[in-house]
Amino acid sequence: MTQLTIVVSSCALFRQETGYTYPTGVAFPLVKALKMVNRRLSELLAPPIQERFRVVLIPSSRQDMDHLQRSIANYKLNVGEDLIVEIADEKPLIEQLEEFKPVLYLSTNAQNVREAIRKGFGAAIMFQRDHHEHSDEVLRVAFDGDGVLFSDESEKVTKEKGLDAFKENELNNEQKPLALGPLIEFFKALERLDKKFIERKQNSPIRTYLVTSRGTASPALRVLRTLQKNNLEINEAHFLSGAKKGPVLKAIKPHIFFDDQMPHVDGALQNGVIGAHVPYGVSNE
């Protein structure tokens, strides 16, 4: 069975407070939705789908082990074969990531996430904030474009020469695909599984969203060309022309939203959306 591994720190999955078990943390809605997707995949029998999400949990400290095991059991994360949550052995973080080869690493520890990004892993910093309830039947994941799904090459133009230069650059390179960014492997995993349901004429429990500050015309066309050239499909694309992302995200209600710029992550958090910061590229230098 092919496993699409997501590594999550225990400080993101649970709020590590006193008590017999930990209360759920900011990564819990995503993990619960991954469990739902695995259950739906197991129901596709003609022919059966061999791919599943796998979650590996990295303890914040070895003293957490009993709490983590009780919490995993309490929230029924390992009931049946819908999701296997493993607790990683005690090793340096990068050794663990090199061993598991995750499509995504999530943590509330900013230093660990930055180290993972430097080593070429798709990763994001999460924030323990209150958030709206999420769908139990559809996994919704929202991505920024530049610096997340795509490289930061166009952001560099904006930083060095300004917005007008960015627009001219996108017009001149309208037919040239952007290089792909740090979270593209996680996006590819979602997109690939989404197609499994569509191929079998089933309603997919996965929805992906692009929520970008890019405007229409050439900036949007270059993004669409990039997706097309890489044979990637996204369920919805929102080109906001610099408008705030928070209200759009509030309407979408994603289980997680990824952005490389903290003002957009803050806007998501202020609207009750789980925002995760991808500390990659020129916006984070």
Side-chain angles (χ1 to χ4, degrees), residues 204-244:
S204 174
I206 300 170
R207 295 286 295 178
T208 54
Y209 304 82
L210 174 67
V211 182
T212 172
S213 294
R214 283 175 175 257
T216 55
S218 294
L221 289 173
R222 192 175 185 198
V223 163
L224 297 175
R225 178 73 64 185
T226 301
L227 294 171
Q228 181 185 48
K229 287 292 187 180
N230 287 278
N231 295 315
L232 298 172
E233 296 181 8
I234 200 156
N235 295 126
E236 292 185 22
H238 298 264
F239 297 95
L240 302 183
S241 300
K244 292 184 178 180

Side-chain angles (χ1 to χ4, degrees), residues 184-200:
I184 197 63
E185 292 304 319
F186 179 50
F187 175 75
K188 285 181 177 179
L190 294 170
E191 191 246 11
R192 187 164 65 249
L193 294 181
D194 182 38
K195 287 181 177 178
K196 300 291 186 185
F197 291 95
I198 295 170
E199 288 167 359
R200 286 160 176 75

Side-chain angles (χ1 to χ4, degrees), residues 10 15 21 28 49-51 58 69 87 100 103 120 133 153 170 220 227-228 236 245 259 274:
S10 60
R15 293 178 183 263
T21 61
F28 187 85
I49 303 299
Q50 297 300 317
E51 293 176 297
I58 296 183
Q69 290 170 347
I87 300 178
F100 296 121
V103 296
E133 294 297 318
E153 58 193 86
E170 299 312 287
L227 294 171
Q228 181 185 48
E236 292 185 22
K245 297 182 180 182
D259 203 295
I274 296 173

Side-chain angles (χ1 to χ4, degrees), residues 253-273:
K253 295 183 179 178
H255 289 79
I256 192 167
F257 165 64
F258 298 99
D259 203 295
D260 66 319
Q261 297 188 40
M262 271 306 301
H264 296 312
V265 175
D266 286 334
L269 296 171
Q270 292 165 13
N271 279 272
V273 173

Side-chain angles (χ1 to χ4, degrees), residues 10-255:
S10 60
C11 58
L13 186 58
F14 299 113
R15 293 178 183 263
Q16 296 178 309
E17 302 171 359
T18 57
Y20 186 72
T21 61
Y22 291 133
T24 58
V26 71
F28 187 85
L30 174 64
V31 171
K32 185 179 177 183
L34 296 175
K35 176 179 170 69
M36 177 274 299
V37 171
N38 278 2
R39 174 179 57 78
R40 289 287 307 278
L41 287 167
S42 69
E43 296 169 355
L44 298 178
L45 302 175
I49 303 299
Q50 297 300 317
E51 293 176 297
R52 297 286 189 280
F53 284 113
R54 166 201 189 199
V55 173
V56 175
L57 194 61
I58 296 183
S60 298
S61 70
R62 306 319 295 180
Q63 289 72 34
D64 286 343
M65 295 296 288
D66 289 342
H67 269 88
L68 292 178
Q69 290 170 347
R70 288 196 297 266
S71 299
I72 289 168
N74 181 58
Y75 296 109
K76 299 181 173 59
L77 292 181
N78 277 349
V79 172
E81 298 181 357
D82 296 335
L83 188 69
I84 303 300
V85 178
E86 304 173 25
I87 300 178
D89 295 330
E90 189 171 8
K91 294 180 182 178
L93 172 66
I94 297 304
E95 284 187 24
Q96 291 174 330
L97 296 181
E98 289 173 345
E99 176 184 346
F100 296 121
K101 296 179 174 57
V103 296
L104 179 65
Y105 166 59
L106 298 172
S107 178
T108 60
N109 186 310
Q111 181 177 344
N112 286 351
V113 170
R114 288 191 170 90
E115 183 180 5
I117 289 279
R118 284 195 296 270
K119 293 295 184 178
F121 294 99
I125 306 163
M126 303 196 76
F127 304 89
Q128 291 288 13
R129 307 279 181 85
D130 293 335
H131 52 79
H132 296 308
E133 294 297 318
H134 296 87
S135 170
D136 290 332
E137 300 301 324
V138 180
L139 166 62
R140 296 187 174 100
V141 182
F143 300 88
D144 176 37
D146 299 282
V148 178
L149 289 185
F150 315 119
S151 75
D152 66 336
E153 58 193 86
S154 294
E155 289 184 329
K156 289 178 180 177
V157 175
T158 306
K159 184 174 182 179
E160 294 171 3
K161 300 179 181 179
L163 185 58
D164 289 340
F166 162 79
K167 293 178 180 178
E168 182 179 358
N169 181 73
E170 299 312 287
L171 177 62
N172 293 338
N173 292 282
E174 195 174 275
Q175 301 301 315
K176 179 183 177 182
L178 293 153
L180 299 179
L183 261 60
I184 197 63
E185 292 304 319
F186 179 50
F187 175 75
K188 285 181 177 179
L190 294 170
E191 191 246 11
R192 187 164 65 249
L193 294 181
D194 182 38
K195 287 181 177 178
K196 300 291 186 185
F197 291 95
I198 295 170
E199 288 167 359
R200 286 160 176 75
K201 297 180 171 56
Q202 299 289 319
N203 291 328
S204 174
I206 300 170
R207 295 286 295 178
T208 54
Y209 304 82
L210 174 67
V211 182
T212 172
S213 294
R214 283 175 175 257
T216 55
S218 294
L221 289 173
R222 192 175 185 198
V223 163
L224 297 175
R225 178 73 64 185
T226 301
L227 294 171
Q228 181 185 48
K229 287 292 187 180
N230 287 278
N231 295 315
L232 298 172
E233 296 181 8
I234 200 156
N235 295 126
E236 292 185 22
H238 298 264
F239 297 95
L240 302 183
S241 300
K244 292 184 178 180
K245 297 182 180 182
V248 173
L249 293 166
K250 184 177 180 179
I252 292 172
K253 295 183 179 178
H255 289 79

